């Protein structure tokens, strides 16, 4: 009797484990089991999946010493400091994400200047791991739109999940991105996961994503200061195809896309409020 009971228990345990494995395999194949939607597939760019691990001697060693010079600083009287800081805050507080952009052309010198401003951002070990691709060609802009809308439809219907889609309803967004055609300029910001030295060896780019993100923040402020509008877009899973379209090397990964221009006459934005100072600042 005991032998029979042991045999039944063993069979039951095998059945439980077998079904548990089966359910795990089924979950792997289900749409909901895909990678978390906020982890962009460009971080796992398929074009370099088969590249071999880099050998240690492929990486460039630290460069020689850099000359240090006296720091030049402009100090303002306290009243002027307060005035300048208040005016700068008021300027940036008017910044909005605008999805209705006019096709009116913008001065390219302004675009050059705002990108130069973005290029002043700090970066890990001063590696400056950013590439700004400016697209004006209507055909290329339309190809970008086709790629993004194709992926964004999948994002909205499958990858993003019901909660994310629900949270976006108040902004009246969907996968249709007309501004990618109408905006006179598209700026695509790529992070360089590593660079190359003059001798062809790879150069480490420390904190490349944080560095490029800081640069994007400065770019947004510079655009606002120049009187232009944009909307920050980070289209999921579009990076590899856009990188190929724009002929960018495999060490560059798309971080952000900004359509830039003047607001259209019928531009609308959500009536949002921002958190107050006591909600975002803690003093110790």
């Amino acid at each position: 009797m005991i032998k029979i009971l042991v045999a039944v228990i063993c069979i039951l345990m095998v059945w439980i484990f077998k079904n548990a494995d089966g359910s795990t395999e089924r979950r792997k194949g289900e749409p909901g089991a895909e990678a978390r939607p906020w982890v962009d597939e460009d971080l796992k760019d398929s074009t370099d999946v088969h590249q071999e691990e880099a050998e240690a001697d492929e990486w460039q060693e630290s460069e020689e010493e850099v000359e240090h010079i006296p720091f030049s600083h402009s100090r303002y009287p306290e009243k002027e400091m307060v005035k300048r800081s208040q005016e700068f805050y008021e300027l940036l507080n008017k910044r909005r994400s605008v999805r209705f952009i006019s096709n009116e052309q913008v001065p390219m010198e302004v675009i050059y200047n705002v990108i130069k401003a973005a290029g002043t951002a700090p970066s890990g070990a001063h590696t400056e791991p950013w590439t700004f691709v400016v697209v004006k060609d209507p055909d290329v802009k339309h190809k970008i739109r086709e790629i993004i809308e194709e992926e964004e439809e999948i994002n909205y219907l499958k990858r993003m999940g019901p909660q994310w889609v629900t949270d976006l309803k108040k902004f009246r967004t969907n996968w249709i991105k007309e501004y990618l055609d109408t905006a006179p300029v598209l700026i695509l910001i790529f992070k360089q996961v590593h660079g190359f030295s003059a001798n062809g060896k790879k150069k480490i780019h420390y904190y490349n994503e944080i560095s490029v993100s800081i640069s994007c923040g400065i770019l947004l402020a510079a655009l606002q200061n120049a009187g232009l509008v944009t909307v920050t877009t980070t289209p999921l899973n579009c990076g590899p195809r856009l990188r190929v379209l724009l002929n960018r090397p495999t060490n560059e990964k798309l971080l952000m896309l900004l359509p830039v221009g003047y607001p259209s006459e019928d531009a609308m934005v959500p009536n949002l409020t921002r958190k107050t100072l006591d909600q975002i600042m803690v003093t110790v």
Side-chain angles (χ1 to χ4, degrees):
M1 182 69 179
I2 295 176
K3 290 182 179 180
I4 296 174
L5 181 61
V6 170
V8 170
I9 292 174
C10 290
I11 294 171
L12 182 61
M13 290 178 65
V14 170
W15 181 84
I16 292 172
F17 281 113
K18 184 177 180 181
N19 278 272
D21 291 341
S23 63
T24 301
E25 291 300 318
R26 286 194 297 273
R27 284 197 297 271
K28 287 181 181 178
E30 291 173 1
E34 296 176 2
R36 289 192 175 195
W38 51 87
V39 178
D40 196 315
E41 286 302 310
D42 193 30
L43 299 177
K44 299 179 287 185
D45 194 334
S46 60
T47 56
D48 50 13
V49 167
H50 302 295
Q51 290 182 357
E52 296 180 358
E53 291 291 329
E55 298 295 336
D57 59 2
E58 291 183 7
W59 294 87
Q60 177 65 42
E61 295 181 359
S62 299
E63 297 176 354
E64 67 280 358
E65 289 290 329
V66 176
E67 179 188 6
H68 285 218
I69 59 176
F71 175 61
S72 177
H73 175 63
S74 297
R75 180 165 179 167
Y76 306 106
E78 185 172 329
K79 286 185 178 180
E80 185 175 354
M81 290 172 61
V82 172
K83 179 175 179 291
R84 290 169 67 96
S85 63
Q86 178 66 24
E87 289 175 348
F88 188 67
Y89 159 68
E90 291 175 356
L91 172 68
L92 293 190
N93 195 38
K94 296 176 182 176
R95 187 206 58 78
R96 299 301 306 269
S97 295
V98 179
R99 294 173 173 82
F100 303 92
I101 301 177
S102 166
N103 60 6
E104 181 182 354
Q105 296 299 306
V106 300
M108 284 308 297
E109 187 174 0
V110 173
I111 301 300
Y112 302 151
N113 286 337
V114 296
I115 290 178
K116 285 192 292 184
T120 67
S123 58
H126 193 60
T127 51
E128 303 175 293
W130 39 67
T131 300
F132 300 89
V133 179
V134 177
V135 179
K136 293 184 62 182
D137 185 282
D139 293 335
V140 178
K141 286 194 299 177
H142 190 68
K143 289 178 182 177
I144 290 173
R145 178 181 178 180
E146 289 179 331
I147 290 172
I148 289 178
E149 289 187 343
E150 179 183 333
E151 291 291 339
E152 282 285 79
E153 183 174 8
I154 301 173
N155 293 337
Y156 271 82
L157 298 179
K158 294 183 179 179
R159 297 185 185 121
M160 291 165 58
Q163 184 60 57
W164 193 348
V165 174
T166 299
D167 289 342
L168 289 175
K169 279 185 178 180
K170 60 187 175 185
F171 303 110
R172 302 178 187 175
T173 65
N174 54 40
W175 57 82
I176 305 300
K177 312 294 183 185
E178 186 179 351
Y179 51 73
L180 295 173
D181 270 327
T182 60
V185 172
L186 303 181
I187 302 177
L188 291 89
I189 303 99
F190 289 81
K191 65 175 184 179
Q192 302 167 7
V193 294
H194 65 78
F196 292 98
S197 298
N199 59 9
K201 287 190 174 183
K202 292 180 180 179
K203 184 178 179 180
I204 299 174
H205 281 173
Y206 306 96
Y207 298 105
N208 55 78
E209 184 159 338
I210 294 176
S211 300
V212 180
S213 297
I214 295 171
S215 179
C216 289
I218 295 176
L219 178 56
L220 291 172
L223 289 168
Q224 177 70 9
N225 182 63
L228 297 175
V229 299
T230 186
V231 54
T232 53
T233 66
T234 52
L236 289 172
N237 301 315
C238 297
R241 293 172 66 186
L242 294 178
R243 180 180 54 72
V244 172
L245 173 66
L246 299 172
N247 197 29
R248 302 312 307 158
T250 56
N251 66 310
E252 294 185 3
K253 312 298 182 185
L254 181 66
L255 186 69
M256 188 174 295
L257 185 155
L258 300 177
V260 175
Y262 301 107
S264 62
E265 292 183 0
D266 58 349
M268 301 284 287
V269 295
N271 186 20
L272 303 176
T273 59
R274 292 188 166 96
K275 292 181 178 180
T276 59
L277 183 61
D278 62 339
Q279 292 176 303
I280 65 173
M281 185 184 76
V282 175
T283 302
V284 180

